[in-house]
Amino acid sequence: MKIGLIDVDSHNYPNLPLMKLSAWHKAKGDNVEWYSPITSGYCDIVYMSKVFSFSPDYPYSINADKIVRGGSGYAIKLVDGVEVYDKSADIDLPDGVEHIYPDYSLYPEMTKDTAYGFLTRGCPRGCNFCHVASKEGQCSVKVADLSKFWRGQKNIVLCDPNILACSEWKNLLQQLIDSKAYIDVNQGLDIRLMTVEKAEMIRKLKVKAVHFAWNRYEDKDIILPKFQMFKEVTGWGYRKMSVFVLVNFDTTFEQDLERVYTLRDIGYNPYVMIYDKEHTTGRDDVRKLQRWVNNRRIFRTVNTFEEYRTGELR
Ligand code: SF4
């Protein structure tokens, strides 16, 4: 069979479902290629995968017997300002495809000495600005061992939504430690679930940096002692620990500023994320806050937001 693949989001980040579909078809002896409306001609099946809802859909006609569309990008809709995941608009990969070793050759540059994958799926939190719980379930469950997608590469990019919530966290962290590879937990770690034992294991991971989130202002009393404890156990400095701060969702600007200042004071590096950035008309404040905080050099030299804003006006 002739199989065409379309990464609807562009080719800026490796698309795991397409890498797995490619590996599965190649193992069956099928011909797999990136689909091109000019050079591909007829295909038996074309798979289109879209991770981000804001990516425009594929604009060209497709010459194929069967077209399969999947990915969160097709299933997430904004309803009353909140992301809702519509399962009927997405497809699950069959088990045999989901657990296959990915075909990294689709993205040779980005996967050079780097493995990508999930050890767990799901998250118990159910934050209403996030679709993970409705897509993957409101429980973090182990879905693979590291050997499913890693074969000695120097770097591992872990896409798990909440590995610390999984009952098998200890075994999974040990697998990552034993790999001696550089680990990038790209969805971050849930600081609310941090314990001394977890922090001691994370300290043993080879990481360039870790990131957390302080999205809900009301978590303040739970997470600040956790941040203190994590810093004491690891001995790491702010260059190695960043914290996403979600703004433009349900916090006031004063609460946004408080989170930014507090994190800096306790030795972490805040990183401002704007919720629904495309629709921030009238929110110049959060855009300026993001520009100030996320430029580390400026953030570390201009002490307050007021000073930054005054400087910008000059
Ligand atoms: S903790 Fe993270 S992954 Fe879990 S629901 Fe909230 S934002 Fe999503």
Side-chain angles (χ1 to χ4, degrees), residues 171-239:
N171 168 274
L172 297 173
L173 288 184
Q174 191 60 53
Q175 290 186 33
L176 294 168
I177 293 168
D178 293 344
S179 75
K180 297 189 173 61
Y182 277 103
I183 312 295
D184 171 7
V185 187
N186 74 357
Q187 300 300 300
L189 294 164
D190 190 339
I191 190 70
R192 296 162 291 189
L193 299 172
M194 193 59 68
T195 61
V196 170
E197 196 182 5
K198 286 173 178 165
E200 277 168 349
M201 287 192 81
I202 291 166
R203 182 166 55 89
K204 292 182 193 155
L205 286 176
K206 238 168 121 181
V207 290
K208 290 180 181 145
V210 289
H211 64 262
F212 303 102
W214 180 6
N215 293 330
R216 290 157 29 102
Y217 177 79
E218 59 271 30
D219 289 341
K220 181 179 175 181
D221 294 340
I222 303 167
I223 66 174
L224 289 183
K226 299 274 189 181
F227 278 134
Q228 298 280 16
M229 176 271 285
F230 184 81
K231 190 175 155 60
E232 278 163 28
V233 171
T234 59
W236 293 348
Y238 74 87
R239 286 193 172 81

Side-chain angles (χ1 to χ4, degrees), residues 21-308:
L21 285 161
S22 172
W24 189 78
H25 277 288
K26 283 182 178 173
K28 288 195 341 165
D30 296 335
N31 286 320
V32 182
E33 63 178 45
W34 288 117
Y35 183 77
S36 156
I38 298 164
T39 57
S40 286
Y42 170 82
C43 288
D44 294 284
I45 309 176
V46 167
Y47 293 100
M48 302 172 68
S49 179
K50 175 162 128 111
V51 175
F52 303 107
S53 52
F54 52 79
S55 300
D57 210 353
Y58 190 69
Y60 309 108
S61 64
I62 297 169
N63 182 9
D65 192 35
K66 188 175 170 191
I67 299 171
V68 182
R69 292 180 179 80
S72 310
Y74 285 116
I76 295 171
K77 309 265 175 316
L78 264 188
V79 178
D80 296 333
V82 174
E83 280 190 2
V84 174
Y85 176 78
D86 174 9
K87 205 165 179 59
S88 66
D90 198 0
I91 49 162
D92 287 331
L93 294 179
D95 262 9
V97 180
E98 179 65 48
H99 297 293
I100 203 166
Y101 185 78
D103 177 9
Y104 290 114
S105 72
L106 285 184
Y107 299 90
E109 290 304 317
M110 280 175 278
T111 61
K112 199 171 166 198
D113 235 336
T114 304
Y116 290 74
F118 291 85
L119 296 172
T120 64
R121 295 279 192 163
C123 176
R125 297 282 179 201
C127 305
N128 46 9
F129 47 81
C130 168
H131 66 274
V132 167
S134 55
K135 181 180 182 197
E136 300 180 7
Q138 208 158 353
C139 182
S140 174
V141 178
K142 178 181 170 186
V143 293
D145 285 309
L146 190 53
S147 55
K148 281 277 182 222
F149 59 90
W150 175 74
R151 292 184 183 161
Q153 291 93 329
K154 280 190 193 140
N155 306 290
I156 296 169
V157 177
L158 204 63
C159 309
D160 297 37
N162 196 338
I163 190 171
L164 296 186
C166 177
S167 59
E168 296 184 63
W169 64 267
K170 195 186 276 191
N171 168 274
L172 297 173
L173 288 184
Q174 191 60 53
Q175 290 186 33
L176 294 168
I177 293 168
D178 293 344
S179 75
K180 297 189 173 61
Y182 277 103
I183 312 295
D184 171 7
V185 187
N186 74 357
Q187 300 300 300
L189 294 164
D190 190 339
I191 190 70
R192 296 162 291 189
L193 299 172
M194 193 59 68
T195 61
V196 170
E197 196 182 5
K198 286 173 178 165
E200 277 168 349
M201 287 192 81
I202 291 166
R203 182 166 55 89
K204 292 182 193 155
L205 286 176
K206 238 168 121 181
V207 290
K208 290 180 181 145
V210 289
H211 64 262
F212 303 102
W214 180 6
N215 293 330
R216 290 157 29 102
Y217 177 79
E218 59 271 30
D219 289 341
K220 181 179 175 181
D221 294 340
I222 303 167
I223 66 174
L224 289 183
K226 299 274 189 181
F227 278 134
Q228 298 280 16
M229 176 271 285
F230 184 81
K231 190 175 155 60
E232 278 163 28
V233 171
T234 59
W236 293 348
Y238 74 87
R239 286 193 172 81
K240 210 166 170 173
M241 304 184 297
S242 61
V243 182
F244 291 163
V245 176
L246 186 72
V247 302
N248 195 40
F249 186 67
D250 64 356
T251 50
T252 64
F253 192 65
E254 287 66 36
Q255 290 170 336
D256 300 339
L257 274 180
E258 185 186 331
R259 285 181 292 162
V260 163
Y261 289 137
T262 304
L263 288 166
R264 188 175 60 182
D265 290 348
I266 63 171
Y268 284 76
N269 207 54
Y271 189 90
V272 170
M273 310 273 284
I274 300 178
Y275 181 77
D276 192 17
K277 195 169 180 178
E278 294 77 57
H279 302 103
T280 47
T281 318
R283 291 302 314 262
D284 260 14
D285 51 356
V286 291
R287 286 175 175 274
K288 282 192 176 125
L289 182 71
Q290 186 181 52
R291 279 207 294 275
W292 173 53
V293 174
N294 294 2
N295 185 322
R296 285 196 183 189
R297 194 179 54 78
I298 297 176
F299 183 60
R300 294 281 158 187
T301 48
V302 180
N303 213 28
T304 65
F305 180 64
E306 271 312 306
E307 284 170 50
Y308 173 73

